[in-house]
Amino acid sequence: MKKVNIILTIAILMLTCIVEAQTHRSKESFNFGWRFHLGDIDGAANKDFDDSSWRLVDIPHDFQIEQEWVAPAADEKADNTDAAANIKSRLSSRGFKEMARGWYRKHFTPADSLKGRRILLDFGGIMYVGDVYLNGELVGATNYGYVGFEIDITDKLRFGEDNVIAVMADTRDPKNSRWYTGGGLFRDVYMITTNKQLYFARYPMYITTRDNGFVNIGVEVATMGRDKKMPIDIKITAPDGKIVYQGKSEIRRSTPTRYIEQALPEIEITNPQLWDTENPNIYSVELTLYNEKNEAVDVATDHFGIRTIEIIPNVGLKLNGKKVLLQGYANHHSLGALGAAAYPRAIEKRIKLMKEWGLNHIRTSHNPYSREFIELCDRNGILVVDELYDKWTRQHTGGRVPFEQLWQYDVPEWIKRDRNSPSVIAWSLGNELQQDPNMPYNDFGVTMYKLMHELIARFDSTRKVTVAMHPRYRNWETDSLPCALAMVTDFQSYNYRYMYFPGDGQKFPWMTFYQSEASVAAMGQNYFEMDRDKTMGLAYWGAIDYLGESNGWPAKGWTQGVFDISLEPKPKAYYMRSFFRNEPLVHIAIVDKKAESGEWNGVNTNNDGLSDHWNRINGQKLDIITYTNADEVELFVNGKSVGVKKNDINNAKMRNQIRWNGIEYKDGYAEAVAKKDGKVVARHRIETSTPMTKLSVEADNAQWKADGMDLQHIRIYALDKKGRKAVTAQNDLRFKVEGDATIVAVSNGDNASEELNVTDHRRLWNGSALLILRAGQKGGVVKLTISCDGMKDVVKTFNVSSK
């Protein structure tokens, strides 16, 4: 009898767990076990199509990064067949990768426990446009792949048999983007299940705060039944994990509408922990929804920060009542050698690196980044200007449908997704519209802006809205007045044209200015000449090298950043650091090549070619720059003083950069000693290195997780016999991985290299290379072997945690 009772008790507990699982929401990653085929193929959408020969891939996946480079001379479809004139081909903006379609297919058999549930597929995006099929039927699509979407497949699944999701991704024509987009399922895919009759909407909460302590939560639910009163439990957890509020409320339904939006009673948080750039305190909210029978049917969670944002004329930006200057960058969404694949770990690495170098701001040019990016900015204290589009034309927004058919769907999805994030301080609707005459309504964007602004206000009334403008003037004949669009945006975002801030501000004192793109070539000058007490700040364009927008083969993309494409700092990064961080600094840079004249959108973009090593030809005359924020620098060569020079802080063009011309090189070392108020505050020494004798291996992830998504970035340095970086080493490295991990990318920072990024070898460049591994889902020991001709293999092991 006792045994029967035990069995009965276990059965009841199991049934309770099943019932509870069925009443609440579930979210299952659908990132793993897809089959992939590059190129279009007839019948690939059909359920019974034979995909057994296709290769297995996991999401996120960028199929373009795997493709061969297309050199201009070999580009038969280029605009000009002359090889010399064809250096910038039709593919130079798109990273010298051929446009293509790719197909993905995933097989699965839905569990019987899902019967009676509402079942959704959630796509973070498909690059660049895409179609989704279930068992051969078209069930969803995206015409602008940077914006996510969901598909209700409740009534289309076949229980008890194999189901097939097929996805076609298309990079479109080269002219449909001005940069490298990547291609494929580049963001996460989930299967979500909910109660079928009553559930939270896709983005169920609208959370706002006021007076740094009062929280307001708007809730959206959907009902297919007749419920008129739907109780809600509310739980708010503080950054330290303590519950600071628990309460109950109720959703009331007075009309037979399917979707119900209602504001919950205002909640006061005592002793709130404010969110800011130095202390990004995050609160979490959990809502539990009940039906009229008081049965829990759905749970929703989100997070928020308690903070105030003000954008004010003649002040700029205030965060929690204090003036904050935006010190940031604007880049495209791709992640170096990983291409467009949106790995959270790679995004986090970038954010933390930028924070370390003094940046507090990112503009998501010119499209929404992944949701994971925004969440990581929330948790790392980065201020985001969240941007939706480039130009408002069919050509620049996917090319499959007119722009007029996109925005009314994209805007709500974009705003609702990111509106609760404290990092998002403003919305940007577009970029450099004045350069395109094909925009809707023929008034250079004014009407289109007003329409989208009105729709934004429907879903978020707490943030101002802008458009990044270039040029900022009204017409081609005169630049005396801002363009018409600048007269209607909530604040004025000028790409590069910071010199117009004072004049425009005098004419139109209600304006507030933001340097939405600042030239790296004019770095420093465009910072020091800007009235930082009266403006919002700036975002340096292309601070990190990226794929696409090449100025000519063999460069595969932008090369004017202060960080190379593998995230190694170039010498000019230290210049930026000298005024972005309040710490003593000096750094030696040698001018290897004077900047060539080059313009991009009417702006000089080319930098001097710089390096920071002491391996030259004896007797060579060098031009040297010492970057510093100290009062003066003394330069030594092999212990002999070359002289002392002052930091010319009254010259915006020369401030923090001291130039030394015609310095004779001799093997040994150069050292810069910086002083402030007569005291040494910083030193930088570079020495002549000898040929490589060994490799140094540095891994960045001590808590590598076996979740199928986590990455390990492994930096390899060539060292000489004294442990100095052997900067002249160009040896080829070969990588072998054993265990539950795979190589997803290799790089060395050389954006002109002919080597591919998805392979098992890479040449050293400037004495360095980068290997990126992706963990599997099993965990255990991963063994990496690095081979180099003439040297003993280097072996490194990693423990990948399955917990």
Side-chain angles (χ1 to χ4, degrees):
M1 187 65 179
K2 188 175 181 180
K3 184 177 182 180
V4 172
N5 286 338
I6 291 172
I7 293 172
L8 182 60
T9 301
I10 292 171
I12 291 171
L13 287 171
M14 289 177 65
L15 181 61
T16 301
C17 291
I18 292 170
V19 170
E20 184 175 339
Q22 288 182 336
T23 56
H24 291 173
R25 177 176 300 253
S26 69
K27 186 175 182 180
E28 176 190 353
S29 174
F30 248 42
N31 282 354
F32 309 108
W34 292 79
R35 291 190 175 274
F36 173 73
H37 173 82
L38 179 62
D40 212 354
I41 187 167
D42 290 339
N46 297 337
K47 180 178 185 293
D48 297 328
F49 180 86
D50 183 6
D51 57 21
S52 59
S53 63
W54 292 14
R55 68 185 179 97
L56 285 169
V57 298
D58 293 330
I59 308 305
H61 177 248
D62 174 6
F63 65 71
Q64 256 199 328
I65 197 68
E66 304 170 347
Q67 295 173 216
E68 297 290 332
W69 306 114
V70 180
D75 184 2
E76 297 178 352
K77 299 178 184 178
D79 297 331
N80 191 328
T81 55
D82 180 76
N86 201 21
I87 292 300
K88 287 188 70 173
S89 77
R90 66 189 180 94
L91 298 176
S92 58
S93 290
R94 303 291 293 268
F96 291 105
K97 298 284 189 177
E98 189 57 83
M99 301 301 99
R101 287 186 172 186
W103 280 90
Y104 298 82
R105 288 169 59 90
K106 182 176 176 67
H107 295 253
F108 69 104
T109 301
D112 288 343
S113 61
L114 297 182
K115 289 180 179 178
R117 302 280 287 159
R118 175 173 169 264
I119 304 168
L120 307 168
L121 292 177
D122 185 328
F123 289 84
I126 302 174
M127 191 45 53
Y128 188 8
V129 302
D131 298 323
V132 181
Y133 300 82
L134 177 62
N135 299 325
E137 178 185 355
L138 180 65
V139 292
T142 178
N143 293 313
Y144 184 62
Y146 294 107
V147 174
F149 62 100
E150 68 180 14
I151 306 168
D152 190 331
I153 59 171
T154 304
D155 299 326
K156 301 181 183 298
L157 277 181
R158 302 175 186 176
F159 288 90
E161 63 178 272
D162 182 45
N163 287 250
V164 179
I165 301 169
V167 177
M168 185 282 295
D170 185 353
T171 61
R172 302 295 292 161
D173 190 87
K175 67 182 180 181
N176 288 134
S177 180
R178 299 189 298 132
W179 57 85
Y180 176 85
T181 61
L185 290 175
F186 75 128
R187 293 182 184 165
D188 291 336
V189 182
Y190 292 98
M191 177 178 279
I192 297 172
T193 70
T194 71
N195 183 280
K196 204 171 184 178
Q197 295 299 310
L198 178 62
Y199 50 87
F200 286 116
R202 175 164 170 77
Y203 299 111
M205 294 185 226
Y206 176 30
I207 307 169
T208 59
T209 63
R210 70 172 184 87
D211 296 338
N212 283 342
F214 293 91
V215 180
N216 291 276
I217 303 174
V219 179
E220 184 177 4
V221 300
T223 175
M224 305 295 108
R226 296 179 177 272
D227 299 80
K228 294 183 179 180
K229 295 180 180 180
M230 293 148 278
I232 282 186
D233 285 347
I234 309 161
K235 181 171 73 174
I236 298 179
T237 305
D240 59 7
K242 295 179 180 178
I243 297 172
V244 293
Y245 178 83
Q246 277 189 299
K248 296 180 179 295
S249 188
E250 190 173 71
I251 300 293
R252 292 179 176 267
R253 182 188 187 197
S254 58
T255 60
T257 181
R258 178 181 174 184
Y259 287 95
I260 306 153
E261 295 179 61
Q262 181 177 312
L264 301 180
E266 187 172 68
I267 299 166
E268 182 177 3
I269 304 295
T270 58
N271 301 317
Q273 300 177 57
L274 301 187
W275 185 97
D276 61 28
T277 57
E278 299 305 315
N279 300 285
N281 293 307
I282 295 295
Y283 286 79
S284 62
V285 183
E286 180 180 282
L287 302 182
T288 304
L289 178 65
Y290 297 82
N291 60 21
E292 284 191 325
K293 298 178 182 179
N294 209 36
E295 298 168 329
V297 293
D298 204 355
V299 174
T301 59
D302 208 337
H303 69 268
F304 68 96
I306 298 175
R307 57 99 174 105
T308 59
I309 289 291
E310 300 170 89
I311 296 174
I312 308 170
N314 288 315
V315 175
L317 176 69
K318 280 189 173 183
L319 174 61
N320 300 328
K322 298 178 181 179
K323 163 74 178 181
V324 172
L325 186 71
L326 297 178
Q327 299 183 160
Y329 76 97
N331 261 59
H332 294 303
H333 66 288
S334 57
L335 298 170
L338 293 165
Y343 290 96
R345 179 72 186 90
I347 296 168
E348 182 182 34
K349 184 177 181 67
R350 283 187 172 221
I351 289 173
K352 287 185 178 296
L353 177 66
M354 295 300 105
K355 197 78 184 287
E356 178 192 341
W357 283 77
L359 286 82
N360 63 10
H361 163 54
I362 298 173
R363 172 184 165 216
T364 68
S365 45
H366 306 294
N367 45 260
Y369 289 9
S370 67
R371 178 57 193 161
E372 291 77 15
F373 166 84
I374 296 292
E375 290 175 345
L376 285 163
C377 287
D378 291 342
R379 299 187 184 283
N380 286 278
I382 296 292
L383 301 169
V384 176
V385 172
D386 202 346
E387 194 156 276
L388 180 57
Y389 296 122
D390 186 21
K391 303 177 190 300
W392 300 337
T393 67
R394 179 176 188 153
Q395 175 184 342
H396 298 100
T397 52
R400 192 153 73 163
V401 298
F403 175 76
E404 294 86 337
Q405 296 179 20
L406 283 178
W407 66 270
Q408 60 268 49
Y409 302 103
D410 293 343
V411 168
E413 170 71 16
W414 169 56
I415 297 295
K416 287 183 174 183
R417 190 196 75 166
D418 291 345
R419 64 186 175 183
N420 295 335
S421 285
S423 64
V424 177
I425 61 168
W427 308 113
S428 175
L429 283 167
N431 176 69
E432 298 184 352
L433 308 179
Q434 297 91 317
Q435 295 182 357
D436 199 305
N438 299 313
M439 290 185 299
Y441 308 113
N442 196 33
D443 61 357
F444 289 96
V446 172
T447 299
M448 192 72 256
Y449 171 83
K450 289 180 177 179
L451 289 170
M452 288 193 282
H453 190 288
E454 189 69 19
L455 187 55
I456 288 174
R458 164 67 178 85
F459 301 108
D460 178 40
S461 61
T462 68
R463 295 175 179 88
K464 292 191 174 184
V465 184
T466 193
V467 172
M469 293 170 237
H470 182 71
R472 47 62 76 191
Y473 45 78
R474 185 157 294 205
N475 58 52
W476 299 112
E477 284 73 38
T478 176
D479 63 357
S480 62
L481 291 173
C483 63
L485 185 59
M487 304 300 287
V488 298
T489 54
D490 292 341
F491 60 96
Q492 287 58 49
S493 302
Y494 295 174
N495 290 355
Y496 310 108
R497 300 308 192 206
Y498 68 93
M499 61 287 295
Y500 290 97
F501 291 171
D504 288 357
Q506 285 184 348
K507 294 186 184 79
F508 309 102
W510 45 267
M511 287 185 167
T512 310
F513 298 102
Y514 163 53
Q515 199 177 161
S516 37
E517 288 180 20
S519 169
V520 171
M523 178 175 277
Q525 182 180 3
N526 49 23
Y527 180 84
F528 294 119
E529 286 184 345
M530 181 177 63
D531 190 338
R532 300 184 297 283
D533 291 329
K534 295 183 178 181
T535 55
M536 293 175 63
L538 52 66
Y540 278 114
W541 177 258
I544 305 172
D545 288 352
Y546 56 83
L547 293 171
E549 294 191 296
S550 168
N551 268 329
W553 183 268
K556 310 308 186 298
W558 179 260
T559 59
Q560 302 302 316
V562 297
F563 294 88
D564 70 30
I565 198 167
S566 76
L567 300 183
E568 283 286 270
K570 301 178 187 179
K572 202 165 187 177
Y574 294 89
Y575 180 42
M576 181 182 70
R577 188 180 181 116
S578 75
F579 51 86
F580 271 9
R581 285 186 65 101
N582 185 24
E583 63 180 18
L585 175 146
V586 66
H587 193 87
I588 299 170
I590 291 116
V591 180
D592 297 321
K593 182 181 180 182
K594 280 292 190 181
E596 298 176 356
S597 61
E599 287 193 355
W600 195 278
N601 294 338
V603 177
N604 179 39
T605 59
N606 286 356
N607 287 302
D608 289 341
L610 302 174
S611 60
D612 50 8
H613 64 82
W614 200 245
N615 282 69
R616 314 284 165 170
I617 299 171
N618 280 313
Q620 181 182 2
K621 299 294 184 179
L622 303 177
D623 291 342
I624 295 175
I625 305 171
T626 49
Y627 296 127
T628 189
N629 48 20
D631 296 337
E632 64 184 32
V633 171
E634 186 170 10
L635 182 65
F636 296 87
V637 174
N638 296 329
K640 183 179 180 180
S641 176
V642 174
V644 177
K645 291 191 177 184
K646 299 286 186 180
N647 184 0
D648 189 357
I649 62 173
N650 296 314
N651 183 342
K653 196 170 183 178
M654 298 306 299
R655 182 173 176 175
N656 285 20
Q657 48 180 333
I658 300 172
R659 294 181 178 265
W660 315 72
N661 297 325
I663 304 301
E664 183 177 351
Y665 172 80
K666 294 179 181 178
D667 285 348
Y669 71 91
E671 184 175 26
V673 179
K675 292 182 179 181
K676 187 174 181 65
D677 298 327
K679 297 179 180 180
V680 175
V681 292
R683 295 175 181 268
H684 182 222
R685 176 174 168 137
I686 52 177
E687 299 182 9
T688 306
S689 61
T690 53
M692 176 181 73
T693 61
K694 60 183 177 179
L695 296 173
S696 168
V697 179
E698 299 178 5
D700 76 334
N701 190 353
Q703 306 296 324
W704 199 11
K705 300 180 183 64
D707 59 3
M709 293 288 293
D710 202 10
L711 301 181
Q712 186 72 265
H713 293 77
I714 301 166
R715 177 69 62 178
I716 302 105
Y717 291 109
L719 302 180
D720 71 3
K721 60 185 179 182
K722 291 187 176 181
R724 298 169 299 202
K725 185 178 175 183
V727 294
T728 60
Q730 297 183 354
N731 306 55
D732 189 59
L733 306 180
R734 299 177 299 280
F735 309 111
K736 180 182 177 182
V737 178
E738 300 171 80
D740 190 31
T742 55
I743 297 173
V744 288
V746 292
S747 183
N748 60 14
D750 181 7
N751 217 5
S753 175
E754 81 288 354
E755 299 168 290
L756 294 177
N757 295 113
V758 186
T759 182
D760 62 356
H761 61 92
R762 190 70 173 191
R763 188 169 58 243
L764 291 164
W765 187 66
N766 290 337
S768 172
L770 176 68
L771 170 69
I772 307 176
L773 303 181
R774 178 177 182 170
Q777 295 177 279
K778 299 175 184 177
V781 176
V782 169
K783 179 181 175 182
L784 168 66
T785 303
I786 304 173
S787 301
C788 179
D789 289 346
M791 296 184 62
K792 185 179 179 181
D793 287 354
V794 176
V795 178
K796 190 171 181 66
T797 59
F798 306 89
N799 290 312
V800 188
S801 173
S802 59
K803 296 181 180 179

